[in-house]
Amino acid sequence: MEQLDARRLLCPLPVIRTQDRVKTLADGECLEVLATDPGVLNDVPAWCRINGHTVLETGEREGVIFVRLRVARP
């Protein structure tokens, strides 16, 4: 699983960085986004729904928010 460190970034940067990283990934690859902005828990899943990617898991551990997603290519 690829990992994107978006900690200490505020909206909309975590979503923009996620979008940029997903462009480099193949269909079916997974990405874990790490963030400290709580808005990521809503923003990244919403972006995934719009773009057809699958959210595998969201949560928080040790003060770091994570969103795991699977890339889908048409």
Side-chain angles (χ1 to χ4, degrees):
M1 179 174 296
E2 294 282 325
Q3 195 173 70
L4 171 66
D5 186 354
R7 291 177 285 188
R8 296 176 297 283
L9 298 177
L10 298 175
C11 184
L13 286 175
V15 174
I16 291 169
R17 299 275 169 88
T18 300
Q19 178 178 349
D20 291 344
R21 178 57 84 70
V22 164
K23 288 178 184 177
T24 70
L25 301 175
D27 184 49
E29 285 192 274
C30 294
L31 176 66
E32 178 180 57
V33 180
L34 303 176
T36 49
D37 180 358
V40 165
L41 288 171
N42 293 319
D43 297 343
V44 171
W47 178 84
C48 286
R49 279 191 303 277
I50 291 167
N51 291 282
H53 307 298
T54 302
V55 175
L56 302 173
E57 184 179 5
T58 62
E60 183 176 345
R61 64 178 176 268
E62 299 177 14
V64 177
I65 296 160
F66 66 89
V67 178
R68 294 183 182 129
L69 63 97
R70 180 175 293 117
V71 175
R73 297 275 178 235

